[in-house]
Amino acid sequence: MTITRRHFLGSTLAAAGALVLWPRLTVAATGADARFVFVLLRGGLDGLEAVPPWGDPGYAAIRGALALSPAGAAAGAKAAHKLDATFALHPALAYAAELYAAGEFMPLVAAAPPYWGRSHFDAQDCVENGTGAPHGAQTGWLNRCVAALPGARGLAVASVMPLCMRGPARVDAWSPPLPTAVSPVWLQRLQPLYAADPALRGAFEQALAAQSADTTMALRHGMASARGTRGQLPMLLAAAGGFMGKPDGSRIAFVEDSGWDTHANEAAILRRKLAELDAGLKACRDAIGDAWHRTVMVIATEFGRTAAINGTGGTDHGTGGMLFLAGGAIAGGRVAGNWPGIGRRALYQGRDLHATTDLRAVFKGVLSAHLGVAEAALETAVFPGSKQVRMLEGLVATRSKSARMTAVT
């Protein structure tokens, strides 16, 4: 159910008075055209590398050669971007550091889905289905969120419709057009074969439709915004921004990226992958235009990694990780979450960062404050059975953007 401005003002005024609650009115609650983007990094991003807790006394001891700090590293790594006395950003996240300084980027540490196992497939299923366990639903929480907003439609930027966006609500799918290496002659020869098969005809026509004017325009915009970068993520985020930046664009989008599993040679892999993510943030902001100021992005992964490195310079599947929030509508410029420490005695099962925030608490807090999804819908439809998971408040900016959520405790 959408919370209208009249309903919101009526209920809050009756409860406590306008002068007290007016600062809590968000961009979404006043009826503006808010945008929400969920980015899933598949493979398990190492949060201790992306957001190194350099000020924690146990970090350097347990991380060894992978330890990062604002002063650089013994292994010759570039200096990390200092955020506060405890946390920094990986050196490759230079643009994210600029957004952080502008109050438009925020790491949230020690976060994980309710599933604390170490299976990629089960963890990703749990993140996408929105329940308390893998395979808890056949539809995705983001599709159910679209359904809870009358008139809204979703956008899935993925080669195959992801579980997160499956369901009865309207969702448009987009993936990069077929590569130019595919000869038009071959497409002409394939066309009658697919046309004769009722089950495959629609899929083939949809693939060819990727060359249509709107899709080509979005792709060109994405390529322009992501020029000079490597990897597919900058182009995908730019394309999502191009679609959502239109006045009648999708309000809710899903973008996915793979390759975040780092069992070996982690430092080199994450230098490349985090640089792609950083370029993707800039490409999305450039493409979405003025709508950036009414946008919230949540960038998450299915689990964290082990606190200690293994014998091949990597980390294995872990538990507690992190997520990022970005966009002009967040209350950023700070590190959020409850940091449990990384000393040996503080680790979960003696090996992993202990998770202190359920991902659903973050999703619920953003969907409520930014999109205006009713709390009852969040607890029963979008994230069924999640009444015990209290939404995390203060993630979305107020009208003055001066009210901030308490920093890391």
PDB file of all heavy atoms in Angstrom, residues 23 152 238 403:
ATOM      1  N   PRO A  23      10.525  16.806  10.644  1.00  0.00           N
ATOM      2  CA  PRO A  23      11.852  16.436  10.135  1.00  0.00           C
ATOM      3  C   PRO A  23      11.946  14.996   9.642  1.00  0.00           C
ATOM      4  O   PRO A  23      12.853  14.658   8.901  1.00  0.00           O
ATOM      5  CB  PRO A  23      12.770  16.659  11.347  1.00  0.00           C
ATOM      6  CG  PRO A  23      12.060  17.675  12.160  1.00  0.00           C
ATOM      7  CD  PRO A  23      10.612  17.337  12.025  1.00  0.00           C
ATOM      8  N   ALA A 152       3.570   1.091  -9.945  1.00  0.00           N
ATOM      9  CA  ALA A 152       5.022   0.986 -10.116  1.00  0.00           C
ATOM     10  C   ALA A 152       5.357  -0.202 -11.011  1.00  0.00           C
ATOM     11  O   ALA A 152       4.574  -1.141 -11.153  1.00  0.00           O
ATOM     12  CB  ALA A 152       5.706   0.835  -8.763  1.00  0.00           C
ATOM     13  N   ALA A 238      25.009   1.945 -15.710  1.00  0.00           N
ATOM     14  CA  ALA A 238      24.689   3.112 -16.522  1.00  0.00           C
ATOM     15  C   ALA A 238      23.390   2.900 -17.288  1.00  0.00           C
ATOM     16  O   ALA A 238      22.563   3.821 -17.398  1.00  0.00           O
ATOM     17  CB  ALA A 238      25.827   3.410 -17.497  1.00  0.00           C
ATOM     18  N   ALA A 403      19.704  15.437  10.076  1.00  0.00           N
ATOM     19  CA  ALA A 403      19.519  14.377  11.064  1.00  0.00           C
ATOM     20  C   ALA A 403      20.284  13.153  10.615  1.00  0.00           C
ATOM     21  O   ALA A 403      20.102  12.677   9.506  1.00  0.00           O
ATOM     22  CB  ALA A 403      18.039  14.056  11.212  1.00  0.00           C
TER      23      ALA A 403
END
